[in-house]
Amino acid sequence: MRPGRFSAALLVALACPPPAAAQERVVTSAAPEAIALTVYRAPYGDGAIDLRWLDGFALVTETRHVRLPRGPATLRFEGVAEGIVPVSAVIDGLPGGVVEKNRDARLLSPASLVDGTLGRQVTLTRTDPATGRKVSEQARIVAGPRPGVILQTASGIEALRCSGLPEQLTYADIPAGLSAKPVLSVATVSPQPRTATVRLSYLTSNFDWRASYVATVAPDGRTLDLFAWLTLANGNPEPFPTAQVSAVTGRLNRVGTPRFQQAAGALSLSCYPLGTTSDIPKKVFEPAEEIVVTGARMMAMAVAAPAPPPPPPPEDLGDLKLYRVPERVTVSARGQKQVALLARTGVPFERRYRFTVAAGGTFAPSPTAVVLAMRNRKDAQLGLPLPAGSTATYAARPDGDRLLLGTGKLSDRAEGERFRIAAGTSTQVLVEQASAAPKEATIRVTNATPSAATLDIPIGRAGQTIEADGKPLEQVDGIATWSPTVPPGGSAELRYRF
């Protein structure tokens, strides 16, 4: 072929791009249509929830509708949880499957705006604090965002916020690749254009939940009503609106994974005032405000909301238990949500007094803890797994008022187990101990109440040998326990060796 013809053919080939079907397109799913949220407790979570550090996690399942072109495409799922574990993501419903999966780290923030606008024009506005007059000029970002932002203006090179005047930058547009929401992107190939229903499931950190029990003792002092709240905590900046929520109780064999660090943050600026940098301390400006993406305000409904439906019984999930919230709820960003966990009425209980003693030693008469002992059985109006949580016990008065008796904690209790909740302290049922001889001691209890008092006195630690005069002591949770019933105004003694 002659050189002239070869050059012409080459120009024609360069001028004609590949067919559109072979070019990869970007498809964005802005938000899910439906969300299911299953929350797992922190393995050793106890006490109040701290939103700054949540060691539980959640399984998020989102349903989305996406319009896929024919051929290769990048599908971007916007609005996934910030704490997503990318390797855990499972995607169903794509006709061509998943070719590649990425967690996009570049979120919209003051720092990422500067980083994405390096070398480009921005508008610099200064405000004179004395006159309030604002002056704007064009500038170009030549360096930043850490440890400061360097601008080139008509006056020369200068650092942002080092002139002594209030300053702000205005950007013409958002740099490519930045998103106001966390993004999970996948590469896929569709054999033909179609609208697909996709289900995205993934694990995310920064979740936890607690159970909070409220017991109300009936005026007759024989039964109580037991109600429990399920408190969900979401430490992510993303909300989960109208989600189908479940909670799992029990401990999983869980291996820790490193938290995903997003490439976004506040813009922290620093500069040196006029003078020599060797003898003038460095001045650090306060961090610039974060960019907050807000939605439209929702007007509160004036009509009172209907009473929530009763919570269903828990379901088996292997050796774990699954509690389903019967109605859809919204779990707000960096917030907590309380929903009903269980409700039982007319639960019989036995009032007992409890005091734990160390083997040996001597102590003066001491008050005892009042506990309400119950059996977790169906014939006792219970018979369901009780997850660990806090307890608050009240006494119902004949006039309708309620008085607080005590607060405490409840450990996980399976069906059929005995358990107890705290109901205050008694200064009329007292326990004292004296050391009679080496490796021997005597416990004495007194009852100044007008009714007989049954006590539970664990002695020593689990597995320790305790030999009492008379009949052997009962082993409760591996600890030798003395359980005398003391008549009104009476007393009882126990001599033991250890």
Side-chain angles (χ1 to χ4, degrees):
M1 181 181 293
R2 288 183 295 179
R5 292 185 177 179
F6 177 80
S7 300
L10 179 60
L11 290 175
V12 172
L14 292 176
C16 297
Q23 295 180 352
E24 183 174 302
R25 297 175 57 184
V26 177
V27 178
T28 299
S29 172
E33 283 78 23
I35 302 175
L37 192 63
T38 303
V39 185
Y40 294 77
R41 292 186 308 180
Y44 301 99
D46 195 8
I49 293 179
D50 186 352
L51 284 173
R52 297 171 299 177
W53 183 257
L54 301 178
D55 201 27
F57 64 99
L59 172 64
V60 181
T61 301
E62 303 177 350
T63 301
R64 300 178 182 238
H65 299 291
V66 295
R67 178 65 180 173
L68 298 173
R70 180 183 178 184
T74 297
L75 178 56
R76 302 174 76 252
F77 296 103
E78 288 189 344
V80 296
E82 182 183 74
I84 183 176
V85 181
V87 296
S88 69
V90 178
I91 304 171
D92 298 321
L94 290 177
V98 177
V99 178
E100 183 181 286
K101 185 169 53 180
N102 300 285
R103 165 64 160 90
D104 298 340
R106 301 191 67 203
L107 289 183
L108 186 63
S109 73
S112 62
L113 267 178
V114 171
D115 183 60
T117 319
L118 286 177
R120 298 169 59 186
Q121 296 289 330
V122 295
T123 301
L124 173 63
T125 302
R126 291 192 173 102
T127 303
D128 189 334
T131 63
R133 181 169 171 265
K134 295 183 178 181
V135 178
S136 298
E137 62 177 317
Q138 293 299 305
R140 186 167 63 91
I141 300 178
V142 296
R146 296 180 179 86
V149 178
I150 307 301
L151 303 173
Q152 183 178 22
T153 65
S155 303
I157 302 296
E158 57 182 281
L160 181 65
R161 294 192 179 179
C162 291
S163 66
L165 299 176
E167 298 173 334
Q168 69 177 22
L169 296 180
T170 304
Y171 303 83
D173 52 20
I174 297 177
L178 290 184
S179 172
K181 305 175 182 178
V183 176
L184 178 73
S185 63
V186 298
T188 184
V189 179
S190 179
Q192 59 185 3
R194 62 174 297 180
T195 298
T197 300
V198 179
R199 188 173 68 175
L200 168 65
S201 300
Y202 59 89
L203 297 177
T204 178
S205 59
N206 294 330
F207 272 93
D208 207 349
W209 70 272
R210 296 282 191 277
S212 302
Y213 296 88
V214 179
T216 303
V217 179
D220 61 9
R222 296 180 180 179
T223 62
L224 57 83
D225 295 340
L226 187 63
F227 183 85
W229 288 107
L230 170 63
T231 302
L232 298 168
N234 173 23
N236 293 271
E238 294 76 36
F240 295 86
T242 58
Q244 183 63 63
V245 176
S246 302
V248 175
T249 181
R251 290 183 181 176
L252 295 176
N253 181 24
R254 182 184 173 196
V255 178
T257 56
R259 294 179 181 268
F260 187 87
Q261 298 297 327
Q262 64 184 30
L267 185 60
S268 182
L269 306 177
S270 60
C271 63
Y272 289 94
L274 296 178
T276 59
T277 59
S278 60
D279 56 4
I280 299 179
K282 188 177 182 181
K283 182 179 180 181
V284 179
F285 287 82
E286 294 183 357
E289 293 183 356
E290 293 279 6
I291 292 180
V292 180
V293 180
T294 60
R297 292 186 176 180
M298 300 293 292
M299 298 300 294
M301 298 294 292
V303 181
E315 305 171 21
D316 290 330
L317 186 64
D319 289 341
L320 308 176
K321 295 295 180 181
L322 177 72
Y323 292 84
R324 294 187 186 272
V325 177
E327 58 182 0
R328 293 185 177 273
V329 297
T330 294
V331 183
S332 60
R334 293 194 174 99
Q336 299 184 36
K337 167 73 71 174
Q338 279 193 321
V339 294
L341 178 66
L342 62 89
R344 292 292 188 271
T345 59
V347 180
F349 68 87
E350 182 183 3
R351 182 183 178 91
R352 303 176 77 94
Y353 301 84
R354 186 174 179 85
F355 192 95
T356 300
V357 302
T362 300
F363 57 86
S366 303
T368 54
V370 183
V371 297
L372 307 183
M374 288 162 276
R375 289 293 297 269
N376 188 13
R377 301 188 310 195
K378 288 183 171 59
D379 58 3
Q381 306 301 319
L382 290 173
L384 74 168
L386 300 175
S390 61
T391 64
T393 306
Y394 296 86
R397 309 293 294 173
D399 56 5
D401 290 341
R402 295 197 309 171
L403 298 178
L404 179 66
L405 297 178
T407 60
K409 297 178 181 179
L410 178 68
S411 58
D412 287 326
R413 291 296 174 179
E415 183 178 352
E417 280 192 288
R418 295 178 181 270
F419 71 99
R420 53 187 176 269
I421 59 176
T425 303
S426 174
T427 58
Q428 300 189 72
V429 178
L430 305 177
V431 177
E432 60 181 307
Q433 181 171 264
S435 179
K439 301 295 183 180
E440 291 187 7
T442 300
I443 301 174
R444 184 171 185 270
V445 298
T446 58
N447 176 22
T449 68
S451 304
T454 300
L455 291 87
D456 292 315
I457 304 178
I459 305 172
R461 60 183 183 275
Q464 187 174 10
T465 301
I466 305 294
E467 296 179 352
D469 292 346
K471 62 180 181 180
L473 299 176
E474 182 183 4
Q475 298 289 319
V476 180
D477 296 331
I479 302 176
T481 303
W482 181 38
S483 300
T485 298
V486 184
S491 62
E493 286 189 357
L494 174 71
R495 179 186 292 271
Y496 68 90
R497 292 166 296 282
F498 61 96

